[in-house]
Amino acid sequence: MAHRLFTLMFSLCLCVSVVQSPLRRQEAKKRVLLLWQKPDGHPKNTHEYELGQKILKRELDKFPTLDTVLVNADDP
């Protein structure tokens, strides 16, 4: 549980500077890339990276100046 919370908080911290930057009307959208991976042998529900990144993307999508992309890092 603590590791999952740390992962989510770390992901949020990476995006804070983008969200807090001064925004201008004519400024181009900023792209935010969120990566996740499939489970790697840990017990089920101990590393919910995909779910955490989906929640983060949903919240970041509320900002019209951000273009948030969710990508599976296991894909080519």
Side-chain angles (χ1 to χ4, degrees), residues 7-8 10-12 14-15 33-37 48-60 68-71:
T7 302
L8 182 60
F10 180 73
S11 296
L12 284 171
L14 290 175
C15 297
L33 178 63
L34 301 174
L35 297 173
W36 65 276
Q37 285 185 296
E48 295 289 337
Y49 295 118
E50 180 182 10
L51 179 59
Q53 295 297 59
K54 284 181 178 180
I55 292 169
L56 184 57
K57 181 181 183 330
R58 182 188 68 210
E59 295 304 310
L60 290 174
T68 310
V69 180
L70 183 61
V71 176

Side-chain angles (χ1 to χ4, degrees), residues 9-59:
M9 293 305 295
F10 180 73
S11 296
L12 284 171
C13 289
L14 290 175
C15 297
V16 166
S17 63
V18 174
V19 174
Q20 290 183 347
S21 66
L23 302 173
R24 298 184 199 117
R25 288 183 183 165
Q26 296 179 3
E27 189 174 316
K29 281 188 169 187
K30 294 184 186 226
R31 179 164 285 173
V32 178
L33 178 63
L34 301 174
L35 297 173
W36 65 276
Q37 285 185 296
K38 296 177 184 173
D40 59 353
H42 289 90
K44 185 176 172 139
N45 296 325
T46 58
H47 293 280
E48 295 289 337
Y49 295 118
E50 180 182 10
L51 179 59
Q53 295 297 59
K54 284 181 178 180
I55 292 169
L56 184 57
K57 181 181 183 330
R58 182 188 68 210
E59 295 304 310

